[in-house]
Amino acid sequence: MEYEQPQAATILNAKIDEEVESLHDGILSKLRDFIVEGHLRPGDRVPERQLCESLGVSRTPLREALKVLAAEGLIELLPNRGARIREFTPDDVREFFEMLAGMESTAGRLACERITEAAIEQIEALHYQMYGHYMRRELPEYFRLNQLIHERIVAAAGNHALETYYHGLTARMRRLRYSANTIKRDRWGQAMREHEQILDALRRRDGRELAEILYEHLIHKWSATSEALGTAEAE
Amino acid sequence: MEYEQPQAATILNAKIDEEVESLHDGILSKLRDFIVEGHLRPGDRVPERQLCESLGVSRTPLREALKVLAAEGLIELLPNRGARIREFTPDDVREFFEMLAGMESTAGRLACERITEAAIEQIEALHYQMYGHYMRRELPEYFRLNQLIHERIVAAAGNHALETYYHGLTARMRRLRYSANTIKRDRWGQAMREHEQILDALRRRDGRELAEILYEHLIHKWSATSEALGTAEAE
DNA sequence: AGTCGATAAATTGTATGCAAAATGTCTAAC
DNA sequence: GTTAGACATTTTGCATACAATTTATCGACT
């Protein structure tokens, strides 16, 4: 057992008694963030006792949090053998992206029915801002606005259940995402063109077409990402 | 080192070789079924102590199960005030159906790429069987086969994450469903026609069209159901 | 009599303890 | 040197105990 947990301890110990937030929820968020940020490697065993000391709480609330995280699919709980950080197979990643594509597609369809003109204009503004970053090849800013636009569309769908699940998905994928903070030149151009189409369909409130474009857009993104990840994770 | 589906342990109970099912999982399934079957009314407070004695276990595993159920959205946990069976507003129902429509739509699209000819033939068989029940106006049998067909399509999508979430959704809606075991004559006919289209698109493996038809089909089903429910739940 | 407030009861949140299962180590036999 | 088995250690699963918060009951005051 020589995996570095001390790091975990220091970062996790940040602040525990900040709110009246029931200890359990605090642990849950902290652990979730911690896993999502990628500080625990997939396949790592996570002894309860060790986590307890890191977090400064007893095992009861910790175990409750672990059960929830397992239900969310972030960790897996083997009977009598404790928790492991869940390992994502390429198939898992494919499934996540397909789900994401489906979610955003559905969100787009709904957004066309419900989005306000003001919200469309805001997304337009974000789009042109993103276009600027694209022209100046400012990758991080481009990614940020890109994600923001997608989030705005999802929010405009007016479906809280969808939004919640969407954010859960993106959280689970964040660990993968940061590995792929790169984009091929030609893919970048194509992504921009797709975004133009997205905006166009949204302006026309053409739900079917927006659903279609968003689905394809996300599947393309997956192809690009999995390509980049395929080499990055085969270390 | 292979390990089996992690979600199966929590969402489904797919591991039965011995009866060593960890007490926690047993409680989880029992409670979930109990709530889904509608034995606990929405808004009911559920004292832990009472549940403990009913189930014959201590509070620790029970609380772990409650946390998971809360994460799944079946109950809500008020801080220091215990668990309540979650109440579904009409908006919640609308959101569920929209999600269901989106899920099945996505599933249909994927199924067109992956389904085997044999599976298509099985669904065809189910379809004609269902058509028989429609002609003879056998409602319960019709509903059963209807749901079976939709499940087959979802299964054919080859996306375990989608399937899991889909079943979670249908479970949450089962409590609403059984209230609406009725269908209007004209809606029934339309539903059958839509199913013909579904089968046709599936045969042609036209993913876009199947996605479109399935989405509309589910939204129509929602309109019909919410109409029936609107009177039934406005007691 | 009604309302507000204080105290008591009940209920939830957390910590600890104990038994069962799993993991690791050491020894002995081949 | 390798492997199998028994014992010790660690870790998980569950139950109970205690602390904190909420809810209920009762009495005092307007």
Side-chain angles (χ1 to χ4, degrees), chain A residues 71 95 99 165, chain B residues 5 7-8 10-12 103 154 159-171:
Chain A
E95 292 193 355
M99 285 292 277
Y165 193 76
Chain B
Q5 310 85 329
Q7 289 173 345
T10 54
I11 306 295
L12 321 163
M103 297 278 102
V154 170
N159 186 314
H160 193 271
L162 195 158
E163 205 172 346
T164 300
Y165 192 76
Y166 175 80
H167 283 117
L169 262 180
T170 55

Side-chain angles (χ1 to χ4, degrees), chain A residues 15-33:
Chain A
K15 190 80 174 175
I16 290 176
D17 204 357
E18 52 188 14
E19 288 229 4
V20 213
E21 179 184 52
S22 69
L23 201 41
H24 159 88
D25 286 328
I27 297 170
L28 190 54
S29 319
K30 277 194 173 57
L31 272 181
R32 200 182 353 242
D33 290 347

Side-chain angles (χ1 to χ4, degrees), chain A residues 30-69:
Chain A
K30 277 194 173 57
L31 272 181
R32 200 182 353 242
D33 290 347
F34 205 66
I35 294 170
V36 166
E37 309 272 336
H39 295 105
L40 294 170
R41 304 294 159 99
D44 275 358
R45 286 195 56 182
V46 189
E48 292 178 4
R49 188 121 175 71
Q50 201 167 336
L51 272 181
C52 287
E53 292 180 7
S54 306
L55 292 162
V57 297
S58 81
R59 287 176 53 217
T60 309
L62 177 77
R63 283 176 57 82
E64 291 175 356
L66 288 178
K67 288 286 193 294
V68 173
L69 290 176

Side-chain angles (χ1 to χ4, degrees), chain B residues 105-153:
Chain B
S105 176
T106 306
R109 194 189 296 262
L110 294 170
C112 282
E113 300 172 9
R114 293 169 190 161
I115 193 169
T116 64
E117 289 298 324
I120 292 182
E121 283 166 22
Q122 285 184 1
I123 291 179
E124 279 178 342
L126 293 173
H127 177 82
Y128 292 126
Q129 209 176 333
M130 182 176 79
Y131 184 70
H133 293 310
Y134 164 68
M135 290 303 284
R136 294 189 293 277
R137 292 295 187 267
E138 295 161 352
L139 199 56
E141 290 84 355
Y142 167 83
F143 272 131
R144 203 185 115 261
L145 281 166
N146 189 336
Q147 188 176 340
L148 207 53
I149 288 171
H150 284 280
E151 280 173 7
R152 288 290 179 92
I153 292 174

Side-chain angles (χ1 to χ4, degrees), chain A residues 152-188:
Chain A
R152 288 291 179 93
I153 292 175
V154 170
N159 186 314
H160 194 269
L162 195 159
E163 204 172 346
T164 300
Y165 193 76
Y166 175 80
H167 282 119
L169 263 180
T170 54
R172 273 191 278 181
M173 296 196 334
R174 214 177 309 282
R175 178 148 59 80
L176 306 169
R177 284 265 188 99
Y178 77 92
S179 315
N181 264 345
T182 172
I183 190 170
K184 279 191 187 164
R185 194 92 173 202
D186 53 344
R187 169 61 197 148
W188 201 353

